[in-house]
Amino acid sequence: MRQLLYISSAVRGAAVDMAAIVGQSIRNNRRVGVTGLLWGDGKRFLQVLEGEDAAVQTTFDRIAADPRHRGIVVLHDRTIGGREFGEWSMVSRGPLDSADAFDDRMRAVLAGASPAVRGTFEGLVAARRAA
Ligand SMILES: Cc1cc2nc3c(=O)[nH]c(=O)nc-3n(C[C@H](O)[C@H](O)[C@H](O)COP(=O)(O)O)c2cc1C
């Protein structure tokens, strides 16, 4: 089982339709047994992909070629004993959410993740708050 975690930036000017991305992801990922988490705030994305090696690779290759984002940096790419994010889930900040409600939701989703993955997400949240 492989876990890949990357960060990227939304392409400026391109209206990012998170619902469309999530719809595509759920449909495709389910078919190949890829699960994980996609976080987006309109400017940045952070995604965890978990599944069999080849399925994660094929999915990531497709995502990496997507013109809706750029500056993709892989933060972790490692072998795991079992899925840390049980099923596909998705957290995004809606226009009515306060930053605190959003952060709380992130933490709840991350409760099952390894300390390394959790730390990466929490660092991102802290950086966003400081910006
Ligand atoms: C930030 C981001 C995350 C994405 N995550 C996934 C994903 O997990 N799975 C997936 O199939 N497509 C994902 N996509 C979409 C793919 O890049 C691609 O558009 C899509 O897989 C094409 O699927 P389709 O041929 O079924 O329309 C993502 C796109 C972006 C910008």
Side-chain angles (χ1 to χ4, degrees):
M1 185 77 48
R2 178 175 175 190
Q3 181 188 68
L4 188 148
L5 164 60
Y6 75 85
I7 190 165
S8 66
S9 300
V11 167
R12 223 182 300 187
V16 178
D17 184 347
M18 280 304 270
I21 293 175
V22 172
Q24 281 179 317
S25 302
I26 289 173
R27 181 165 29 82
N28 293 331
N29 296 0
R30 200 172 274 159
R31 205 177 300 141
V32 294
V34 168
T35 55
L37 172 91
L38 173 63
W39 178 90
D41 66 356
K43 285 189 183 158
R44 286 184 192 285
F45 298 109
L46 197 152
Q47 187 170 31
V48 177
L49 299 169
E50 292 181 345
E52 292 308 326
D53 196 341
V56 168
Q57 189 63 51
T58 309
T59 301
F60 180 65
D61 287 347
R62 207 167 56 241
I63 295 168
D66 195 314
R68 289 174 288 191
H69 63 167
R70 62 180 177 79
I72 295 164
V73 178
V74 174
L75 301 179
H76 294 294
D77 187 359
R78 61 190 189 114
T79 300
I80 48 171
R83 294 178 198 267
E84 294 180 356
F85 298 82
E87 56 187 78
W88 177 268
S89 44
M90 149 72 197
V91 186
S92 67
R93 187 175 172 188
L96 300 177
D97 290 345
S98 72
D100 284 346
F102 173 72
D103 292 351
D104 286 350
R105 209 158 62 232
M106 281 267 291
R107 269 188 215 104
V109 169
L110 289 168
S114 70
V117 171
R118 216 161 46 227
T120 302
F121 273 84
E122 281 167 3
L124 184 88
V125 169
R128 188 175 56 78
R129 276 197 162 161

